[in-house]
Amino acid sequence: MPNFNILVNGSRRSVQCDADTPLLWVLRDELQLTGTKYGCGMGVCGACTVHQENRVVRSCQISIHEADGLSFTTIEGLSLDGSHPCQTAWIEEDVAQCGYCQTGMIMEAAALLTKTADPTDAQIDETFSGHVCRCGTYQRIRKAIHRAAASLRS
Amino acid sequence: MSVTRRSFLVKTVGATTGLMIGFRLDCAANVDEATKVFSPNAFIEISVNDEVRLWATRSEMGQGVRTLLPMVLADELGADWNRIIVEQASPGGKFTGVRLRTSGSGSAVGTWHTLRVAAAAAREMLIAAAAERWNVPPSTCDTKNGGVIHRPSGRAIQFGEIVIAAAKLPVPKSPALRDPKDFSLIGKPIRRLDGQAIVTGRAIYGMDVKRPEMLYAVLARRPSFGAKLVSFDSEQAMRARGVRHVLPVTTGIATGVAVLADGSWAALKGRAALQIRWSAGEGAAFDSDRFSADMQRGALLPGYPIRRAGAAEVEIASSSRIIDATYEYPFQAHATLETMNCTADVRDGFCEIWAPTQCPEVAQQETAKLLGISEDKVRVNITLLGGGFGRRLFADYVPEAVELSKAVGRPVQVLWTREDDMKYGFFQPPDIEVLRARLPDKGVPTVWIQKSVGSNLSMFGIPSEQDAKELDRYAKDGSPWGVFDNPYNLTHLTADFIPFNSPVPTGPWRSVEYPGTVFARESFIDEIAHAAGRDPIELRLAFLEPGDVLDLKVQKVNRARLQNVLHLAAAKSTWGSKLPTEKDWHLGRGVACNVYSEDCYAAHVAEVAVRRDLSAIRVRKIICIVDCGLALNPLGIEGQAESAIIWGLSSTLGGKIHFKNGQAQETSYSDFEVIRMDNTPAIEIHIHQGADSPGGFGETAVPGVAPAVANAVFAACGKRVRRLPITPEKLAMA
């Protein structure tokens, strides 16, 4: 079986699987990193969002073959102790309800803030148009992003 | 709610952590599945090292129950908020006969009183033990921050030091409850306790369960209703790397062929390679557009009487100013973000299950039945739920995993893909309301005639011939919600229900029967107001006079509370003030109100913009007044109301489910549209406490959304949409 090497949260991981296996299932089934969620498997819900360097990718839409040799960060690696400004802002604003989509949302927000220090609501809307929260926590997500942005600026 | 049985069990248990004292309170309540069902209970343990353990007797699906219950416990017991450990109750064992089902916005209502009584009993026993040790009257003691204090001297002792003595005392039968003014947490905005686990990805949902040697399974499911498996060829599928077994599955609502593999992807690849032959069954031709047309004709069929007052038919026959309208609500899906899934491990005559479920008791019962073992040999572990909304009140996805685990002798996790989840749910059934009224005029009593055509939700059953003869048959159930408990004081009222079923499995969906019936009722009131030249809020207030309590036997509707939320909605929305003029947009406001199951009242005002060429509809703002009585956790209630509004908006402006050739056509969020960030309006929630006891709040704010928006659209552009969802195409046709 083919062998692939990826860097996940700073650790080199070697996996054996079919070349077309989506990164999502490698993370969840092989590496037991279940913070990255399956929501649709077709890139329309955003629940499986991770970082590849500083850009966001839908881990269900990138195969392990494409991912080979690249470096990824998942929610488990966003901070050591849940202290990333987005994570703390999410708690401050009491965003999560069922919480299932929120790791994808947080990864998206963290990436947005590295590019745009003080995003407008319109920029947030555009950035998050690929995400679904069936509990409808969008208003609090917006607030949390503004809060995280403010804390990063200060 | 009536408590029919109450018993306390006190036990001392030798454990590695020390001795523990347990308090248990069982309540079997008025079990009526058709209305709201409350059979609450609680379980508390306090250890010698001061840890207080609370077993959550409801599933956490985002409503915040795993935060709310410890709040109640901490206040009533005087426990240290930081030393409470929340465990999830499992059916059976010490929870035999205890309700764990999570439904009907009942997580707070159904547990509040029982948990308080249990905690108060524990408090009295701890106080008695401390008072005895100090030789002081118990009445001079209280509990606070996990210890007993003697008020006059200021002496204090931690719970852990006295639990062993307390456990030997008799359990008080009717302990005094704390005065609510002494609560320190209840009524305050408290953040979710599991927030940290969620934002770090450590929270465990059903799909995150991993067991040693576990296989992953996906099913190829029936192509249409009633289709039966004829044969399958697994040769190609077995060639996919990692595929271990290909097996037929006979349980659940969408049977088929399962592919079991070492990983999810291998199982999915194997499934794609399956060759299956199906026979066409009953329902293979089902088409929801045709069904909707049939339902319209259903209004002509004789129905079951729901409400009767005065002589509506006679009055309407002699009226000249009559208004008619027919409203339609389509099939909807739950589309929880975490798709259905279950992990089962069957071995040695025992079965362990891990499932995100709202009905663990049913999961246990069905598993025991399937395996032919007793229920005590089935352990159900309830994980966090990635959304429930009523879908997980069915355990159909549990036996699938059980059946497969039994067959292969290993733990098996069954994953429903998003497409499976869209196509094989228990859908919100469609609803048609045919309404007729006499326009109100000075001195002329109102006349209201309603024919409600809809599916009996499968939880409710179908009335028999005998039932049909009984006028009160539906009144007994209080169904259909929104028709039966129509709050308005209508002099002449006739309402009938005409059951109209399809082969589609249906079930409760957030706010159950209200969405369709309240959309119709509150739109129709608006139409009456406009036709009569009355203000929509003023007319509602008038229809709710004299602000009394409408006694419908199975429930009571407090008209004054509904009037109050309407008044507040008018004030907070500056109702009546002129909206600005915009070059490209028509603007309008709309209102709606509803009472959810007698104890939760809500009024919505929507502000909507409709592009002048009718090519777009934007809901800009929704103001919602929620009166669910005592607001236990205002932050949680606001969150649930915000959530309910987005839920309601998704079905108002977004997708619906179409069936063709006996199969749902939608596959994912790409073709079943839900509200996303970019069409989220500004939402303003105001909590009004109209009662001293708590009501439900998970669903209250759903039903008013669609009519408030439809009424606002009419106010903006003069177009009345009576079939949901509201789309630019429908505006063009209106």
Side-chain angles (χ1 to χ4, degrees):
Chain A
M1 200 180 296
N3 196 59
F4 301 94
N5 294 295
I6 51 175
L7 205 62
V8 180
N9 301 329
S11 301
R12 202 190 121 145
R13 309 298 293 261
S14 184
V15 290
Q16 283 194 328
C17 58
D18 278 358
D20 59 355
T21 308
L23 177 64
L24 167 69
W25 298 117
V26 173
L27 294 172
R28 290 183 54 82
D29 295 353
E30 302 287 329
L31 307 180
Q32 317 274 306
L33 293 169
T34 56
T36 302
K37 301 301 185 196
Y38 167 78
C40 69
M42 49 180 89
V44 298
C45 81
C48 69
T49 302
V50 298
H51 295 172
Q52 187 248 310
E53 304 294 347
N54 283 330
R55 74 189 184 97
V56 292
V57 291
R58 304 285 187 249
S59 62
C60 75
Q61 294 298 299
I62 174 173
S63 69
I64 190 65
H65 174 73
E66 294 164 311
D68 193 27
L70 301 179
S71 170
F72 298 92
T73 306
T74 69
I75 189 72
E76 290 89 349
L78 185 64
S79 67
L80 285 173
D81 51 1
S83 62
H84 186 282
C86 286
Q87 290 170 314
T88 54
W90 246 249
I91 287 173
E92 287 291 313
E93 294 294 343
D94 203 38
V95 173
Q97 290 194 17
C98 90
Y100 192 80
C101 71
Q102 300 296 349
T103 50
M105 296 281 187
I106 289 169
M107 294 308 281
E108 188 76 67
L112 170 67
L113 295 180
T114 59
K115 289 179 298 188
T116 312
D118 189 12
T120 62
D121 278 351
Q123 286 171 316
I124 293 171
D125 285 359
E126 196 192 331
T127 305
F128 282 81
S129 63
H131 287 261
V132 170
C133 171
R134 194 65 169 130
C135 299
T137 61
Y138 304 111
Q139 179 157 294
R140 292 191 187 192
I141 291 173
R142 267 197 210 127
K143 280 187 197 161
I145 293 168
H146 289 307
R147 178 187 279 269
S151 109
L152 276 165
R153 288 196 305 274
S154 63
Chain B
M1 183 174 69
S2 65
V3 177
T4 55
R5 181 167 62 92
R6 180 177 294 175
S7 64
F8 286 94
L9 300 178
V10 178
K11 58 171 188 169
T12 45
V13 187
T16 51
T17 51
L19 288 169
M20 287 185 279
I21 173 174
F23 301 94
R24 174 171 169 185
L25 176 69
D26 289 5
C27 285
N30 188 7
V31 179
D32 186 349
E33 294 292 343
T35 58
K36 274 181 25 177
V37 188
F38 311 116
S39 27
N41 52 81
F43 198 95
I44 309 161
E45 280 184 6
I46 307 168
S47 72
V48 289
N49 61 7
D50 293 320
E51 267 175 5
V52 176
R53 257 167 223 278
L54 166 68
W55 271 261
T57 50
R58 293 292 186 275
S59 301
E60 179 61 80
M61 50 191 194
Q63 84 280 39
V65 69
R66 285 172 62 94
T67 302
L68 194 61
L69 297 182
M71 285 171 67
V72 174
L73 176 67
D75 267 354
E76 192 63 55
L77 179 62
D80 180 350
W81 172 244
N82 297 311
R83 300 299 300 270
I84 298 178
I85 296 162
V86 184
E87 308 269 6
Q88 193 67 39
S90 292
K94 63 188 181 183
F95 293 104
T96 302
V98 170
R99 178 195 159 134
L100 303 180
R101 178 187 168 91
T102 307
S103 66
S105 292
S107 293
V109 183
T111 55
W112 153 256
H113 181 72
T114 322
L115 180 53
R116 282 186 75 193
V117 172
R123 187 184 70 233
E124 280 195 12
M125 294 165 80
L126 291 161
I127 285 177
E132 199 173 294
R133 180 178 292 197
W134 293 329
N135 198 20
V136 298
S139 60
T140 59
C141 300
D142 198 358
T143 55
K144 202 178 176 181
N145 294 332
V148 179
I149 50 167
H150 178 235
R151 280 190 302 257
S153 67
R155 255 186 304 190
I157 188 166
Q158 290 299 105
F159 287 164
E161 289 184 53
I162 46 171
V163 286
I164 293 165
K168 292 173 183 152
L169 299 172
V171 182
K173 288 238 166 22
S174 46
L177 300 180
R178 266 196 210 284
D179 188 329
K181 74 173 166 48
D182 296 329
F183 289 149
S184 58
L185 293 164
I186 292 167
K188 303 258 175 15
I190 304 291
R191 295 187 189 94
R192 289 281 297 274
L193 281 177
D194 43 14
Q196 184 75 12
I198 288 171
V199 303
T200 53
R202 287 184 290 105
I204 299 296
Y205 300 84
M207 220 180 283
D208 302 331
V209 170
K210 304 285 177 192
R211 305 299 303 166
E213 302 291 302
M214 182 177 94
L215 292 178
Y216 298 80
V218 290
L219 273 71
R221 299 171 187 275
R222 58 158 163 74
S224 60
F225 294 120
K228 293 271 184 303
L229 181 65
V230 175
S231 63
F232 64 94
D233 179 354
S234 59
E235 198 187 327
Q236 289 290 108
M238 286 299 289
R239 270 190 214 145
R241 194 151 31 202
V243 170
R244 300 293 183 122
H245 308 273
V246 176
L247 295 164
V249 171
T250 56
T251 55
I253 53 161
T255 56
V257 180
V259 177
L260 293 80
D262 294 336
S264 306
W265 183 245
L268 287 163
K269 282 179 83 173
R271 181 175 82 163
L274 280 175
Q275 307 286 324
I276 305 178
R277 280 184 55 221
W278 301 90
S279 69
E282 271 181 57
F286 182 73
D287 179 303
S288 50
D289 286 343
R290 212 161 52 226
F291 184 68
S292 149
D294 290 346
M295 278 182 82
Q296 305 269 356
R297 289 192 288 275
L300 303 171
L301 299 170
Y304 301 93
I306 302 301
R307 289 272 300 274
R308 289 286 184 273
E313 307 287 351
V314 175
E315 288 288 326
I316 208 95
S318 60
S319 306
S320 56
R321 300 187 70 212
I322 294 170
I323 181 167
D324 288 288
T326 298
Y327 302 88
E328 186 180 340
Y329 193 93
F331 282 106
Q332 285 288 349
H334 300 84
T336 58
L337 208 67
E338 182 193 20
T339 55
M340 298 308 111
N341 65 86
C342 178
T343 306
D345 185 0
V346 180
R347 66 177 80 194
D348 308 327
F350 189 85
C351 178
E352 187 158 14
I353 287 164
W354 295 261
T357 175
Q358 294 175 249
C359 62
E361 301 97 326
V362 178
Q364 187 188 44
Q365 287 156 11
E366 291 193 359
T367 300
K369 209 166 123 192
L370 177 67
L371 295 174
I373 59 178
S374 58
E375 286 175 20
D376 62 352
K377 297 284 192 284
V378 179
R379 180 176 169 82
V380 180
N381 304 287
I382 306 164
T383 64
L384 291 178
L385 281 61
F389 314 120
R391 173 61 183 90
R392 289 182 158 107
L393 281 168
F394 296 93
D396 54 297
Y397 49 94
V398 171
E400 295 176 347
V402 173
E403 184 182 344
L404 290 170
S405 174
K406 187 188 176 197
V408 302
R410 285 168 70 168
V412 173
Q413 181 173 90
V414 173
L415 161 76
W416 287 44
T417 63
R418 172 56 52 196
E419 194 170 352
D420 292 342
D421 204 86
M422 293 302 304
K423 291 187 182 304
Y424 306 106
F426 289 83
F427 297 86
Q428 165 87 341
D431 176 86
I432 285 184
E433 301 292 326
V434 179
L435 283 148
R436 163 169 276 212
R438 176 160 71 194
L439 288 181
D441 206 347
K442 262 209 168 77
V444 179
T446 56
V447 179
W448 180 288
I449 297 174
Q450 182 160 12
K451 301 239 185 234
S452 178
V453 188
S455 160
N456 294 99
L457 298 184
S458 49
M459 65 190 287
F460 295 158
I462 298 168
S464 67
E465 284 298 308
Q466 183 56 34
D467 294 331
K469 291 179 190 136
E470 294 175 32
L471 190 76
D472 283 348
R473 171 63 180 81
Y474 265 79
K476 278 181 200 158
D477 289 351
S479 196
W481 302 357
V483 178
F484 173 79
D485 56 357
N486 181 336
Y488 298 112
N489 193 354
L490 305 161
T491 317
H492 301 282
L493 167 64
T494 291
D496 292 307
F497 175 64
I498 296 121
F500 214 85
N501 293 304
S502 73
V504 181
T506 58
W509 182 89
R510 196 172 188 175
S511 78
V512 197
E513 294 177 326
Y514 283 116
T517 60
V518 174
F519 167 61
R521 191 190 74 217
E522 294 298 308
S523 293
F524 194 53
I525 292 267
D526 203 69
E527 296 209 47
I528 294 171
H530 285 285
R534 305 269 293 265
D535 176 84
I537 289 188
E538 176 273 320
L539 184 70
R540 281 176 174 79
L541 291 169
F543 275 2
L544 290 165
E545 282 298 313
D548 55 344
V549 173
L550 169 64
D551 188 348
L552 294 165
K553 292 190 186 122
V554 294
Q555 52 190 285
K556 293 181 169 61
V557 175
N558 188 320
R559 290 176 172 141
R561 285 178 74 181
L562 206 48
Q563 286 178 319
N564 286 339
V565 290
L566 277 167
H567 278 300
L568 283 164
K572 296 291 182 189
S573 66
T574 62
W575 184 262
S577 69
K578 204 167 150 39
L579 286 162
T581 305
E582 289 186 19
K583 184 166 151 280
D584 296 328
W585 300 86
H586 295 293
L587 306 184
R589 282 195 197 97
V591 66
C593 65
N594 188 49
V595 46
Y596 178 101
S597 197
E598 88 178 346
D599 57 7
C600 344
Y601 297 75
H604 298 67
V605 171
E607 289 183 17
V608 166
V610 179
R611 200 179 276 281
R612 286 181 185 273
D613 63 4
L614 306 182
S615 64
I617 305 156
R618 298 290 298 188
V619 176
R620 291 194 175 166
K621 188 173 189 180
I622 293 191
I623 290 159
C624 180
I625 317 296
V626 180
D627 169 10
C628 53
L630 181 66
L632 301 177
N633 181 357
L635 191 62
I637 292 170
E638 282 167 20
Q640 285 300 293
E642 290 164 14
S643 169
I645 285 167
I646 296 295
W647 183 269
L649 266 185
S650 286
S651 53
T652 304
L653 303 174
K656 64 173 189 175
I657 298 295
H658 303 74
F659 292 92
K660 278 205 185 351
N661 302 320
Q663 183 81 314
Q665 298 301 296
E666 281 67 22
T667 59
S668 187
Y669 299 112
S670 48
D671 47 13
F672 179 70
E673 287 178 35
V674 298
I675 295 292
R676 295 178 184 238
M677 186 81 83
D678 54 356
N679 45 14
T680 292
I683 299 174
E684 225 182 88
I685 309 297
H686 300 276
I687 296 173
H688 174 70
Q689 299 195 47
D692 295 334
S693 58
F697 49 82
E699 302 170 282
T700 309
V702 173
V705 175
V709 169
N711 296 341
V713 165
F714 180 80
C717 67
K719 299 285 185 184
R720 177 64 64 180
V721 178
R722 300 188 185 90
R723 297 176 71 192
L724 290 181
I726 303 170
T727 59
E729 297 73 42
K730 292 216 184 94
L731 286 186
M733 289 188 298

